[in-house]
Amino acid sequence: MTETGTSPQIVILCSDIFFLSKITGVATQLEFSFSSANSCKQALKYLSNELRQLILIDMNLPHLDWELLASILNPDSHLVSIAFGPHVDTEQFKKAKIAGCSQILPRSQFSAQLPQLMHAALERKP
């Protein structure tokens, strides 16, 4: 849902249609532009070096390319990353940390704090 020629503020890397709907609903309500992707390669098309952006990463995404994700998550860029997943999946939490995600949250906490997380990441006050 981005306008032609503009980069979205939020890139959503998620294939769970129900959870994706929740995220896009919150983004729409808060008037953030967004795009969704099913792979890191597809997400790259939406990223910009000139715009502060937030990438939301569902750690349950099938075939998540952690190596490519790590190359995307440059700590010096304007990109903020939040990975989320089941709290019991400690292996995915480790991979997200190694990849350099800004924040790694259990899915329940991510869901409960979604509006605040979006505002904080994009430096807008709620």
Side-chain angles (χ1 to χ4, degrees):
M1 248 192 133
T2 61
E3 297 174 24
T4 308
T6 63
S7 295
Q9 294 167 294
I10 302 171
V11 177
I12 308 162
L13 193 51
C14 179
S15 62
D16 180 330
I17 194 157
F18 296 111
F19 207 68
L20 179 61
S21 177
K22 176 183 177 57
I23 296 169
T24 59
V26 172
T28 299
Q29 182 180 7
L30 297 176
E31 299 180 351
F32 288 120
S33 61
F34 60 86
S35 288
S36 62
N38 289 319
S39 69
C40 293
K41 188 175 179 180
Q42 186 181 23
L44 268 172
K45 297 176 187 176
Y46 301 118
L47 299 177
S48 165
N49 289 328
E50 290 82 43
L51 177 67
R52 182 150 183 95
Q53 290 178 299
L54 168 63
I55 185 167
L56 301 174
I57 306 149
D58 182 353
M59 294 187 290
N60 279 339
L61 185 72
H63 312 294
L64 183 56
D65 186 341
W66 289 105
E67 191 173 307
L68 180 55
L69 184 62
S71 72
I72 293 170
L73 302 179
N74 178 349
D76 297 325
S77 76
H78 297 289
L79 183 62
V80 176
S81 57
I82 302 174
F84 59 93
H87 70 279
V88 295
D89 196 345
T90 57
E91 186 63 33
Q92 293 295 69
F93 275 69
K94 287 177 190 174
K95 288 179 181 179
K97 184 176 182 174
I98 291 168
C101 291
S102 307
Q103 285 185 273
I104 307 160
L105 301 170
R107 196 174 183 121
S108 58
Q109 184 180 354
F110 172 80
S111 184
Q113 298 176 355
L114 189 53
Q116 297 88 342
L117 292 167
M118 287 181 178
H119 278 294
L122 297 169
E123 298 181 335
R124 284 181 58 181
K125 296 185 185 214

